[in-house]
Amino acid sequence: MDFSENDTPKTRLYGRRRSHGLKPSQWQYLQESVAETSLLHFTDAFEKRVFSHIYLEIGFGAGEHLLAQAEACSEAAFIGAEPFENGFVQAHQKAARLSNLFLHNEDVRLLLPLFPPASLDGVYVLFPDPWPKRRHQKRRLMNKAFLEALALLFKPGGELRFATDCLDYAAEVIRLIEESSDWRWKTTTPRTPHTLVEVPCFCKATTQQILKAHTSFFARPLSWPETRYECKALQRGRACCYLSALYGAK
Ligand SMILES: C[S@@+](CC[C@H](N)C(=O)[O-])C[C@H]1O[C@@H](n2cnc3c(N)ncnc32)[C@H](O)[C@@H]1O
């Protein structure tokens, strides 16, 4: 599968693999946990146990959203992909007691081909690296090709959650979803009271137009546990956009 647009290399991972060095104990933990969660072992758990639903979180960071979901629903399987080692170790250490959580220290693009078509009940892409500079935007994970590849893995009615504090990224994903016949908006998500966002005048005209038509997406869905990145963005007063789309004909 090639998720690239323009001339982005197929599997090049942009962004950090690690920040500050891991402590020796974390390093050892990483070696052990990576071995036990390698792609080779990916299907083992699914052969041994039947899960009611299967969800995937892409770039789970330190795992706040995914862990809370897995704790709340023990019959469903929650799979996470996070190549950033520091985040992976933190999440994996907290997750050890959950038998329905499967964390992978991998680029998700290596994991996706392992899923059969129409196998996922939900995919979460929460605050992906925004790459705000124009010349870096082709590095963004979510683009038309990636969304189309994800759609093949969805069961009808499955939910795609996407969140970002990068306004033009939000507008671009809204546009991709609205232009595709694969998706419809989930309108029943209970959200925090509506906070009308002043769309900054420095945004491109098309971005302003799209965002002004969808200001309700700037209210937090109550059932989405807050992530670390989101918490920092909100503390800095940044507007966050939360999209929820269902797979299946409009
Ligand atoms: C801005 S952080 C947000 C982390 C977390 N979702 C949160 O909201 O706190 C984006 C994360 O996506 C991860 N990421 C980037 N490219 C990825 C890829 N190809 N597959 C899986 N994760 C990826 C990065 O390592 C990073 O941890």
Side-chain angles (χ1 to χ4, degrees), residues 13-14 16 57-62 64 81-84 106-109 126-130 141 227-230:
L13 178 71
Y14 293 103
R16 307 176 296 176
E57 183 159 332
I58 299 175
F60 57 77
E64 297 84 8
E82 175 52 77
F84 182 50
E106 296 286 357
D107 183 327
V108 74
R109 291 168 297 178
L126 303 177
F127 302 93
D129 292 321
L141 187 65
T227 72
R228 183 176 296 188
Y229 183 99
E230 174 186 7

Side-chain angles (χ1 to χ4, degrees), residues 17 19 35 38 51 56 63 70 75 110 127 141 151 174 181 192 215 221 239 243-244 249:
R17 265 266 175 198
S19 58
S38 75
F51 291 96
L56 170 69
E75 306 82 47
L110 300 176
F127 302 93
L141 187 65
I174 292 172
S181 56
T192 51
T215 49
L243 309 181
S244 173

Side-chain angles (χ1 to χ4, degrees), residues 84-141:
F84 182 50
E85 291 171 348
N86 303 64
F88 171 81
V89 167
Q90 283 177 36
H92 200 276
Q93 284 178 328
K94 287 186 267 176
R97 67 191 182 285
L98 293 170
S99 63
N100 62 334
L101 186 63
F102 305 91
L103 302 182
H104 296 271
N105 187 212
E106 296 286 357
D107 183 327
V108 74
R109 291 168 297 178
L110 300 176
L111 218 58
L112 291 186
L114 304 180
F115 290 100
S119 58
L120 293 177
D121 295 274
V123 174
Y124 311 134
V125 189
L126 303 177
F127 302 93
D129 292 321
W131 300 114
K133 288 186 185 151
R134 202 173 174 72
R135 68 177 187 280
H136 290 153
Q137 287 180 3
K138 64 183 178 189
R139 299 179 177 184
R140 288 177 175 170
L141 187 65

Side-chain angles (χ1 to χ4, degrees), residues 25-36:
S25 60
Q26 287 180 314
W27 180 249
Q28 192 185 344
Y29 188 90
L30 179 69
Q31 301 305 311
E32 289 165 9
S33 52
V34 163
E36 134 209 336

